[in-house]
Amino acid sequence: GFSFNPVRQSLFTHDDAVRSRHKAEAAAARVLEVMPDAEVSWSDCDIPMPGHPRSPDVIQREFSKLKDLVDSHDVVFLLTDSRESRWLPALLVAAAQHEDRTPPLGVTCALGFDSFVAMVQTYKSAESACYFCNDVTAPTDSLSNRSLDQQCTVTRPGLSGMAGSIAVELVAAMTQHPDGFEAARCAIDGSGSSILGAIPSQVRGYLGGYKLVPAEVDAFAQCPCCSKDVVRTFREEGVEFVQRVTANSSILERMSGLEEMKQRLQSADLAAFDMDDMDDFAAL
């Protein structure tokens, strides 16, 4: 992506936006300004997304590029603009937890107008909800035929810096725990904490009331990203599965069990409605 909204960002300047500089390129430049001896590289990747059909060649190329990036790093921060662009990186992180190697930690930040969430995914035996675990629909195209303000959340100016700082502190706390990234999640500072304090699954911030709310949140069994059947199918099929999801993201609802769950809930609602009708009729 490009730096077109500097007020909403923490790393980008007006000059970056004027020059249509890639966000990754601008971020790498800012890091080097702060720490000139840092080893920094940037990559431009057109992430395959649910509901955004692309040619098989493009999907294969971008999938390989993204997978190499995820596999070669210890921590993956998901900070992209759209919801659906986070699905494949989060799935790659979830799938890596089942491989015979040290997997990366997945960290997500998301912004509202005056609220944010910073969260970590499941890491090996330390279970945590991923970004999609609160969803009851599969991610799909949220960008087409929308104005810029609909595509990109308008936020209060201090929000992105606060969210990014909390996400970094979550990672820092885990690095100082004997179990590292596999430390048990705890929302309250106590005996299971890092020397830097609590390690919650996620922290939600509310700027209207100047509040931070840490929480322990388990993964959702019917998650359209990290549920067992979705991860298993991805590990078996790889990029072919990604191609199917980009063409039709509704398969995620069937595969994860979301579709069946919603049908059961609708049936239960109808049964309750019918029971209420019978009671009313009996009363008459």
Side-chain angles (χ1 to χ4, degrees):
F2 297 95
S3 311
F4 56 78
N5 190 357
V7 177
R8 181 176 178 268
Q9 311 293 342
S10 303
L11 292 172
F12 314 125
T13 65
H14 181 263
D15 183 62
D16 294 326
V18 170
R19 295 167 56 189
S20 295
R21 203 174 189 184
H22 286 279
K23 289 183 178 180
E25 179 187 8
R30 294 296 95 76
V31 171
L32 289 173
E33 289 173 3
V34 174
M35 189 176 180
D37 60 346
E39 294 184 16
V40 181
S41 62
W42 69 276
S43 177
D44 180 29
C45 183
D46 187 1
I47 300 173
M49 299 183 289
H52 294 258
R54 305 294 298 276
S55 71
D57 289 345
V58 170
I59 292 176
Q60 177 66 66
R61 182 188 69 230
E62 300 302 324
F63 170 81
S64 298
K65 186 189 299 184
L66 180 62
K67 189 175 188 306
D68 287 344
L69 287 169
V70 171
D71 289 346
S72 60
H73 289 81
D74 298 317
V75 183
V76 178
F77 286 89
L78 307 182
L79 310 172
T80 52
D81 283 338
S82 71
R83 192 172 195 84
E84 61 266 31
S85 63
R86 301 171 186 233
W87 177 80
L88 182 54
L91 177 58
L92 285 166
V93 169
Q97 308 306 315
H98 302 275
E99 298 176 6
D100 295 327
R101 62 181 180 88
T102 301
L105 173 71
V107 185
T108 295
C109 286
L111 307 179
F113 169 67
D114 61 356
S115 62
F116 70 85
V117 62
M119 61 197 305
V120 295
Q121 288 184 226
T122 292
Y123 187 90
K124 293 185 175 180
S125 63
E127 183 177 322
S128 297
C130 82
Y131 183 61
F132 297 92
C133 279
N134 286 332
D135 290 2
V136 292
T137 58
T140 188
D141 185 358
S142 66
L143 303 176
S144 298
N145 303 316
R146 291 193 173 195
S147 62
L148 184 60
D149 65 308
Q150 291 176 314
Q151 295 179 35
C152 189
T153 307
V154 176
T155 72
R156 291 177 61 168
L159 208 65
S160 63
M162 294 172 65
S165 298
I166 293 295
V168 170
E169 288 297 333
L170 278 174
V171 176
M174 284 186 278
T175 64
Q176 301 305 308
H177 191 283
D179 296 328
F181 294 159
E182 202 171 359
R185 309 301 185 234
C186 56
I188 301 174
D189 191 8
S191 59
S193 302
S194 158
I195 61 173
L196 293 181
I199 303 176
S201 302
Q202 58 182 244
V203 178
R204 293 183 178 271
Y206 302 94
L207 208 51
Y210 297 97
K211 293 191 298 184
L212 292 178
V213 182
E216 300 169 38
V217 184
D218 293 335
F220 178 36
Q222 283 79 37
C223 175
C225 179
C226 72
S227 60
K228 290 182 179 179
D229 286 343
V230 172
V231 173
R232 175 183 54 78
T233 304
F234 171 70
R235 295 185 69 206
E236 292 173 353
E237 299 182 11
V239 70
E240 287 79 12
F241 173 62
V242 176
Q243 289 173 352
R244 288 199 288 137
V245 173
T246 59
N248 179 15
S249 63
S250 65
I251 65 173
L252 292 173
E253 294 195 17
R254 295 193 296 272
M255 188 175 298
S256 64
L258 268 178
E259 186 175 81
E260 181 183 353
M261 183 194 76
K262 289 191 287 187
Q263 289 174 347
R264 289 201 307 268
L265 288 173
Q266 289 171 352
S267 297
D269 288 343
L270 288 173
F273 180 77
D274 289 343
M275 184 64 72
D276 289 341
D277 278 358
M278 290 293 289
D279 291 344
D280 292 342
F281 182 76
L284 290 173

